[in-house]
Amino acid sequence: MLVRIRPGAELSGAEREFVACLRSYPTTGLAVIDLEADNRRVDAAVWTPSGLTVLEVHGFRRRQSGILSTSADGPWKISDAPVELDDPDSGSPADRVEHGIYAVKHMLQRALQDPGHISGAVVLVPFRGAVVRPARTNLRAGLDVVVGNVTDATELRIYLEGFSAGPRNWTVDRVIGACNALGLAEFAPSRAELLDAGFEEKAPEPTTMIARRPEPRVEPTPGDATKGQAYAGWSVVVVAVVGVLLVLGVIASALAQDSAQPTPATGTTSPTPSPPPYRPAECWPFQSNC
């Protein structure tokens, strides 16, 4: 990793240890130590091809080991003992790194540079041989705490390699523009040095999903029928023909029986006799039946 220190900077022991850690990393990146942004001192700003982070570096006043308990607003402790930082009068480390993020972002925007998302972290550098492990690594959204020195720099290296999961948008020209906007042109690396360090000339084009053309459907082709299949097919045909003949025979028999039986008469053909014509009888006086 490329490391540039502001000329005339007076670094603490923890900051010199931090610089030694950065110079030992084979990761592509640029670290600028001790810069001034909006009249505020920023311990470090680190660019990688995927992002920008602002770091606040603190050492310890004495050797402390144990589990580090951090809080965004309350006191920090190591194994229930208060953390004794090397600069106790500088205020809350979380607040200081947030102010540094705002100052860097404001200067880039004022120079019409796109800062994108800027992360931040508090880097604690214990004495060599002291083992400090954070119980939590996230203070607030986009703000972490990491521990590292030359002999135990795993957490710091993991953070620097993975603090930004975005695309590789920090190209050579963009890094140079950001350095000029922050007033770092006098000691910033050259274009050739950034290319040799691994920064790209142009941002890679975003990968797009190519619609997959559906493959044409291939209808299955029937194969040659076996002997068993042929016999089965002919058996079905014979059974069907016999069934049709039986149905026709039943229909013909029913029709023949209906035609052989005589139809019963429903009336007679003899004429009905008409009554004789009415003739009045002549009746005499005292005649019977009259």
Side-chain angles (χ1 to χ4, degrees):
M1 177 179 289
L2 290 174
V3 179
R4 292 292 184 270
I5 304 174
R6 182 182 60 84
E10 297 181 359
L11 304 183
S12 64
E15 289 171 339
R16 290 193 297 268
E17 185 89 0
F18 172 68
V19 170
C21 288
L22 296 180
R23 284 177 172 165
S24 65
Y25 294 164
T27 306
T28 300
L30 167 65
V32 178
I33 309 300
D34 193 16
L35 64 149
E36 186 175 324
D38 269 0
N39 298 322
R40 173 176 292 277
R41 183 182 185 273
V42 177
D43 290 346
V46 178
W47 284 268
T48 68
S50 299
L52 168 61
T53 184
V54 173
L55 303 177
E56 184 77 13
V57 182
H58 288 277
F60 292 82
R61 298 178 62 184
R62 64 181 181 88
R63 184 181 299 274
Q64 288 185 284
S65 298
I67 303 300
L68 172 66
S69 301
T70 60
S71 172
D73 302 318
W76 295 8
K77 295 182 178 181
I78 294 181
S79 298
D80 296 331
V83 174
E84 298 184 22
L85 299 179
D86 57 357
D87 191 6
D89 299 329
S90 61
S92 169
D95 292 340
R96 285 179 58 85
V97 72
E98 282 190 330
H99 294 157
I101 292 173
Y102 177 80
V104 171
K105 185 175 183 179
H106 183 254
M107 287 194 67
L108 292 178
Q109 290 177 338
R110 190 168 57 191
L112 302 181
Q113 297 287 330
D114 179 18
H117 174 70
I118 302 179
S119 302
V122 178
V123 180
L124 299 181
V125 183
F127 284 81
R128 294 191 182 185
V131 178
V132 177
R133 289 291 179 267
R136 53 178 294 184
T137 59
N138 183 262
L139 297 175
R140 300 177 186 138
L143 181 60
D144 298 289
V145 56
V146 293
V147 178
N149 54 23
V150 172
T151 58
D152 187 9
T154 302
E155 292 181 7
L156 179 58
R157 180 172 180 176
I158 291 175
Y159 172 78
L160 292 176
E161 292 179 353
F163 70 86
S164 179
R168 298 170 63 89
N169 289 331
W170 282 98
T171 60
V172 172
D173 292 334
R174 190 178 178 190
V175 173
I176 292 176
C179 289
N180 293 334
L182 294 173
L184 310 177
E186 295 182 359
F187 60 100
S190 64
R191 184 184 186 86
E193 289 176 318
L194 290 174
L195 289 173
D196 292 340
F199 286 94
E200 298 179 358
E201 186 80 24
K202 296 181 180 180
E205 297 182 359
T207 57
T208 56
M209 296 297 294
I210 301 176
R212 185 177 181 181
R213 182 178 299 176
E215 298 180 357
R217 183 178 179 181
V218 179
E219 297 293 338
T221 304
D224 297 335
T226 61
K227 289 185 177 181
Q229 293 174 342
Y231 293 154
W234 282 112
S235 300
V236 172
V237 173
V238 170
V239 170
V241 172
V242 171
V244 171
L245 293 178
L246 289 176
V247 172
L248 293 177
V250 171
I251 295 173
S253 176
L255 293 176
Q257 290 179 3
D258 290 342
S259 61
Q261 295 179 359
T263 303
T266 57
T268 179
T269 57
S270 58
T272 302
S274 58
Y278 173 73
R279 294 180 180 179
E282 295 180 358
C283 293
W284 302 98
F286 307 103
Q287 183 179 354
S288 60
N289 299 328
C290 179

